[in-house]
Amino acid sequence: VPAPAALLAPGLCCSTNAESPPLQCVLTGSWMNDLGSNMTIGAVNGEGNFAGSYHTAVSATTNEIQVSPLQGSQHHTNQKSQPTFGFTVNWSFSDSVTVFTGQCFMDKGKEVLKTMWLLRSHVDNIKNDWKATR
């Protein structure tokens, strides 16, 4: 189970896809949060869908951390210069899934992702359901 604080703790900063400050916040690119987790988002298609990968820097499991796939979608950027988005990470090294929702902001010439997340871990029975979601 990835440690909750290791996920997009409250935001990821600064895409590496821009040589000069963009006028519009673009999800496509590489992102790093303040804990050293890395995320890469591929091109956003015409429907607003995208895929990528997430490599968390810390985890609550003793399993070896592995890069994990993500799938998501955003509102069309031609309608909003600071789009809202959501994506799911299916953790490759644990039996848990995290969903994220957030918005891409332009802040002093830098792209910043502000997110909230919900992590669901596997439990063996319904009696333990109470402790499965963070």
Side-chain angles (χ1 to χ4, degrees):
V1 176
L7 305 177
L8 297 180
L12 289 170
C13 178
C14 311
S15 170
T16 59
N17 65 343
E19 293 178 8
S20 61
L23 300 174
Q24 179 173 335
C25 198
V26 178
L27 293 178
T28 301
S30 297
W31 301 85
M32 179 184 288
N33 71 9
D34 55 349
L35 297 174
S37 296
N38 293 287
M39 177 176 72
T40 301
I41 295 178
V44 178
N45 70 19
E47 289 81 42
N49 300 318
F50 58 87
S53 61
Y54 196 102
H55 188 246
T56 187
V58 296
S59 174
T61 181
T62 58
N63 296 341
E64 181 181 345
I65 294 173
Q66 299 173 14
V67 175
S68 299
L70 68 82
Q71 295 283 327
S73 107
Q74 74 162 54
H75 280 279
H76 296 290
T77 56
N78 61 352
Q79 296 171 357
K80 304 287 182 188
S81 63
Q82 299 185 115
T84 57
F85 61 89
F87 61 89
T88 301
V89 177
N90 183 2
W91 299 106
S92 299
F93 57 95
S94 71
D95 50 359
S96 59
V97 172
T98 302
V99 293
F100 297 82
T101 186
Q103 187 170 352
C104 190
F105 289 101
M106 292 304 302
D107 184 37
K108 299 176 185 167
K110 292 184 179 179
E111 297 168 296
V112 177
L113 304 183
K114 287 296 201 175
T115 63
M116 295 296 290
W117 53 267
L118 187 64
L119 179 137
R120 177 64 188 214
S121 300
H122 173 82
V123 291
D124 292 329
N125 58 59
I126 198 166
K127 290 179 184 178
N128 290 324
D129 183 63
W130 66 271
K131 65 181 180 179
T133 304
R134 300 180 214 175

